[in-house]
Amino acid sequence: MVDVYVSAGSNIEPEQHLVRALEALESTYGPLRVSPAYRNKPVGFTGADFINLVVGFSTDQPVEAVRKRLQEIEASCGRPPDAPKWGPRKMDLDILLYGEEVRTQPGLMLPRPDLIRRAYMLKPMADLAPGLVHPTERRTMRELWESFPDSGHELAEIALRRSDPRRSPGSDR
């Protein structure tokens, strides 16, 4: 089994789509570990605020199968496969870490380079797994967050409620 961490974000009916995505992930991968959710301004375009979080789970699926499942969940939330990179979206699911795997191939870079560049990915990741060591930076998520430059990218923690009684402890955000 490998531990996988995925960022999830939406700025179109975000509460509804995030809950739907979490339920789909849980039905596929079992109990989830879910970070607090954060509201933040979009990066790269002007639009409605996003809500972002990070989810962790364990799987024996290869990374390509996980990626395919994430794309299916995005589609079930109404995201077209040709959605622009910088624009509003109903659901965006990105693999941040797939165990200790390091890949540099275009289309699936692991660990995801944005993890250490984007506050909306790094902060929830540091909340969820503060002692986890980044595979290439060789520093913990907490250390990476604590040294993150104050870029003026504000994050406001919000409560994201899930009604599923099967959720794991700490995943009620």
Side-chain angles (χ1 to χ4, degrees), residues 9-23:
S10 173
N11 76 333
I12 300 172
E13 299 175 337
E15 293 91 345
Q16 170 190 336
H17 290 111
L18 284 165
V19 168
R20 179 183 295 165
L22 289 172
E23 289 171 353

Side-chain angles (χ1 to χ4, degrees), residues 56-123:
F57 54 86
S58 298
T59 185
D60 57 4
Q61 289 185 342
V63 68
E64 294 81 7
V66 173
R67 182 177 180 199
K68 182 177 186 287
R69 180 64 182 131
L70 297 181
Q71 291 168 337
E72 291 168 354
I73 294 169
E74 287 176 335
S76 76
C77 290
R79 179 180 178 171
D82 59 349
K85 180 176 180 171
W86 302 109
R89 58 197 57 176
K90 292 182 179 180
M91 182 49 52
D92 189 23
L93 297 169
D94 295 310
I95 299 172
L96 301 176
L97 297 170
Y98 182 85
E100 293 281 319
E101 190 160 336
V102 176
R103 289 190 182 201
T104 57
Q105 70 191 56
L108 184 57
M109 307 236 350
L110 293 171
R112 185 171 181 88
D114 286 344
L115 172 57
I116 59 172
R117 296 182 192 140
R118 304 282 186 221
Y120 62 83
M121 289 181 179
L122 185 55
K123 173 61 171 145

Side-chain angles (χ1 to χ4, degrees), residues 99-158:
E100 293 281 319
E101 190 160 336
V102 176
R103 289 190 182 201
T104 57
Q105 70 191 56
L108 184 57
M109 307 236 350
L110 293 171
R112 185 171 181 88
D114 286 344
L115 172 57
I116 59 172
R117 296 182 192 140
R118 304 282 186 221
Y120 62 83
M121 289 181 179
L122 185 55
K123 173 61 171 145
M125 184 71 204
D127 289 340
L128 185 60
L132 182 67
V133 176
H134 189 283
T136 59
E137 297 294 314
R138 306 312 310 163
R139 295 168 58 201
T140 67
M141 295 300 152
R142 177 184 295 118
E143 290 168 336
L144 289 167
W145 177 248
E146 287 173 351
S147 66
F148 193 79
D150 182 10
S151 63
H153 194 82
E154 290 185 37
L155 300 173
E157 187 173 342
I158 66 159

